[in-house]
């Protein structure tokens, strides 16, 4: 199966086919997502919360993102791998943003990067794209801006923030982003953005009228239960299943039922 490219993503949009994206953070999770035929794997900085156990994405570093991105790239045969630029890896200076974006391709085998921010990031997006690196933008609720936004809140509900989200959408497309993640905005606003832009819109908590959808894998699998946003659908409760298996193992070791004859050497 050939690798998915940005041309395949454009083609899906042109044909009216939905684009699928999920996060993954290591070899086994990336294999599952890839083998299921998902179009794009995002090595999201959400790994801070669902893998590292911190309470926001802000502490995640470039080195950590590259470490996880390498594992994901190694496991991926067909999905396009998008590396998520962590907080302060692109906000300080355009040259630093280009260098860090390039590391995702050069060192970690990614095919694109994602970064958060709209109009204020337009010049940075342009500089990264000019360096030959496809950029997926991310607007609406941008978790790296949590303290400016005053919490993880739905964006674009009043006229001023609605206009801001629309301006951000136009700005990232104009800057050369090949697609845009739209997080936690009213479904009608997402529809408006979808109709306004020619680049694919990938929604998370943005309703049904985006070109594609993305979720955090650990939410979908029921591996993260600290909190569950309204937009998450949990397809399986894997934490409960894993807990049962580990409890059974503990029981069997304690009772001597494990290991049985088939598990030892003669
Ligand atoms: O970090 C992440 O996983 C993300 C997705 C939620 C879009 O940015």
């Amino acid at each position: 199966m050939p690798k998915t490219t940005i041309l395949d993503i454009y083609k899906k949009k042109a044909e009216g086919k939905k684009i699928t994206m999920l996060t993954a953070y290591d070899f086994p999770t990336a294999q599952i997502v890839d083998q299921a035929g998902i179009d794009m794997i995002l090595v999201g900085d959400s790994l801070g919360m669902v893998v590292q156990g911190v309470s926001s994405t802000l502490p995640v570093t470039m080195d950590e993102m590259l470490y996880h991105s390498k594992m994901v790239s190694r496991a991926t045969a067909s999905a396009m791998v998008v590396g998520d630029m962590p907080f302060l890896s692109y906000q300080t200076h355009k040259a630093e943003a280009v260098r860090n974006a390039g590391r995702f391709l050069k060192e970690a085998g990614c095919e694109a990067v994602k970064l958060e921010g709209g109009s204020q990031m337009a010049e940075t997006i342009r500089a990264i794209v000019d360096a030959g690196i496809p950029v997926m933008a991310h607007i609406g609720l941008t978790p790296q801006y949590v303290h400016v936004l005053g919490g993880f809140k739905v964006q674009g509900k009043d006229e001023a923030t609605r206009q801001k989200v629309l301006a951000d959408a136009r700005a990232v497309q104009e800057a050369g982003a090949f697609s845009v993640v739209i997080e936690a905005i009213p479904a009608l606003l997402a529809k408006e953005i979808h109709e306004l832009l020619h680049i694919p819109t990938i929604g998370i908590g943005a309703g049904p009228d985006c070109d594609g959808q993305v979720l955090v894998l650990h939410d979908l699998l029921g591996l993260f239960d600290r909190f569950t946003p309204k937009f998450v659908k949990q397809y399986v409760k894997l934490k409960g299943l894993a807990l049962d298996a580990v409890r059974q193992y503990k029981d069997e070791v304690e009772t001597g039922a494990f290991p049985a004859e088939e598990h030892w050497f003669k």
Side-chain angles (χ1 to χ4, degrees):
M1 184 110 181
K3 266 278 191 177
T4 302
T5 70
I6 61 169
L7 299 183
D8 300 308
I9 300 301
Y10 291 146
K11 185 161 177 269
K12 278 198 119 169
K13 177 179 169 70
E15 291 172 351
K17 293 184 181 154
K18 290 286 186 184
I19 298 160
T20 54
M21 181 159 96
L22 277 176
T23 66
Y25 312 103
D26 57 23
F27 192 90
T29 56
Q31 265 196 332
I32 293 167
V33 174
D34 189 55
Q35 287 172 15
I38 295 293
D39 296 312
M40 292 188 281
I41 297 181
L42 173 67
V43 189
D45 64 354
S46 50
L47 68 84
M49 293 160 102
V50 302
V51 176
Q52 297 176 331
V54 293
S55 61
S56 80
T57 56
L58 300 183
V60 178
T61 67
M62 263 308 288
D63 285 345
E64 289 163 351
M65 289 307 303
L66 293 174
Y67 173 74
H68 286 275
S69 300
K70 282 179 197 172
M71 293 185 254
V72 169
S73 299
R74 235 174 262 143
T76 305
S78 68
M80 177 173 167
V81 180
V82 182
D84 205 5
M85 298 194 71
F87 183 54
L88 288 194
S89 68
Y90 58 97
Q91 290 92 339
T92 51
H93 201 279
K94 264 189 287 179
E96 188 178 32
V98 173
R99 201 167 301 116
N100 281 326
R103 293 186 70 192
F104 278 96
L105 274 63
K106 204 175 164 86
E107 298 173 37
C110 295
E111 282 103 21
V113 297
K114 177 174 84 58
L115 59 82
E116 295 181 14
S119 314
Q120 80 276 37
M121 280 300 143
E123 283 186 24
T124 303
I125 292 172
R126 171 55 61 203
I128 297 173
V129 174
D130 283 348
I133 303 161
V135 175
M136 176 180 280
H138 183 161
I139 61 171
L141 170 56
T142 43
Q144 290 177 18
Y145 292 72
V146 57
H147 296 304
V148 170
L149 300 175
F152 298 105
K153 294 179 189 311
V154 177
Q155 300 297 301
K157 283 175 96 173
D158 57 70
E159 189 51 27
T161 58
R162 200 181 84 83
Q163 289 302 335
K164 181 186 180 323
V165 177
L166 284 168
D168 284 343
R170 281 192 209 95
V172 298
Q173 171 172 281
E174 178 69 20
F178 79 94
S179 64
V180 57
V181 168
I182 306 175
E183 179 164 352
I185 62 167
L188 273 179
L189 177 55
K191 184 169 191 280
E192 205 177 326
I193 294 171
H194 167 75
E195 285 160 4
L196 185 74
L197 299 188
H198 58 76
I199 59 172
T201 54
I202 312 292
I204 175 163
D209 292 307
C210 296
D211 296 298
Q213 296 290 328
V214 57
L215 277 182
V216 168
L217 183 69
H218 288 47
D219 287 336
L220 175 157
L221 294 179
L223 278 172
F224 181 75
D225 60 2
R226 272 202 194 155
F227 60 89
T228 307
K230 176 179 162 62
F231 54 73
V232 166
K233 178 169 176 185
Q234 205 176 75
Y235 285 79
V236 62
K237 293 187 187 309
L238 219 48
K239 183 174 174 186
L241 295 177
L243 201 53
D244 286 349
V246 172
R247 282 189 178 130
Q248 194 181 340
Y249 162 78
K250 175 180 183 287
D251 241 42
E252 291 191 1
V253 170
E254 287 172 352
T255 60
F258 177 83
E261 208 174 331
E262 67 265 30
H263 304 119
W264 68 64
F265 303 102
K266 289 190 178 138

